[in-house]
Amino acid sequence: MTEKAIFGAGCFWGVEAAFRAVKGVSKVISGYSGGHLKNPTYQDVCTGETGHAEVVQVEYDPSQVDYETLLDVFWDCHNPTTRNRQGPDVGTQYRSAIFFYTPEQEAAAKASKEKLEQSGRWREPIVTEIAPASEFYPAEEYHQRYLEKRGIAGHCHT
């Protein structure tokens, strides 16, 4: 039995690679969520006018990896203090976001964010959006496993 989670941490290529490396994760799909346009394309999302973020939908086996571990991967692979920006990528589509499916995921995400804020790891405030999961739209096929297809080692923005 698997569960799903959605994370936005900037450009989805490196984020997808980070989650694919986690034992217990069975599937990672790059896509779009959090916006108002139905069936957005990459070109639509790049305008910054659809409200969508570039995200990954993670399918995982909770008997092998817990949601808290996935949250750790999320926090480690980007800078959650930069609003609408990760590395050279700028725009609302690159915002830091956790879209939760269950009240348990919401509580865990909020607790994890609070713990990170209190840790002192970041000098600036954490701006990560935590919101209910809305419709998830898979990105175009050429975005799936993008780095892997090109023989590029996955990396994160931080």
Side-chain angles (χ1 to χ4, degrees), residues 35-107:
H36 55 81
L37 181 68
K38 290 201 175 292
N39 300 309
T41 65
Y42 181 67
Q43 289 72 25
D44 294 330
V45 173
C46 283
T47 68
E49 296 176 12
T50 69
H52 289 90
E54 286 193 17
V55 299
V56 294
Q57 184 182 64
V58 178
E59 192 170 314
Y60 65 101
D61 180 345
S63 71
Q64 293 185 36
V65 61
D66 59 22
Y67 186 70
E68 288 75 9
T69 298
L70 299 179
L71 287 166
D72 290 343
V73 172
F74 167 76
W75 296 122
D76 286 345
C77 78
H78 78 298
N79 180 342
T81 69
T82 54
R83 188 172 307 280
N84 301 328
R85 178 183 193 133
Q86 289 300 314
D89 300 321
V90 179
T92 58
Q93 68 271 31
Y94 300 114
R95 68 187 181 271
S96 176
I98 300 169
F99 296 112
F100 58 85
Y101 282 106
T102 66
E104 293 80 15
Q105 284 185 352
E106 177 184 20

Side-chain angles (χ1 to χ4, degrees), residues 9-23:
C11 175
F12 41 44
W13 298 339
V15 180
E16 177 187 353
F19 281 103
R20 282 194 184 282
V22 177
K23 185 179 189 290

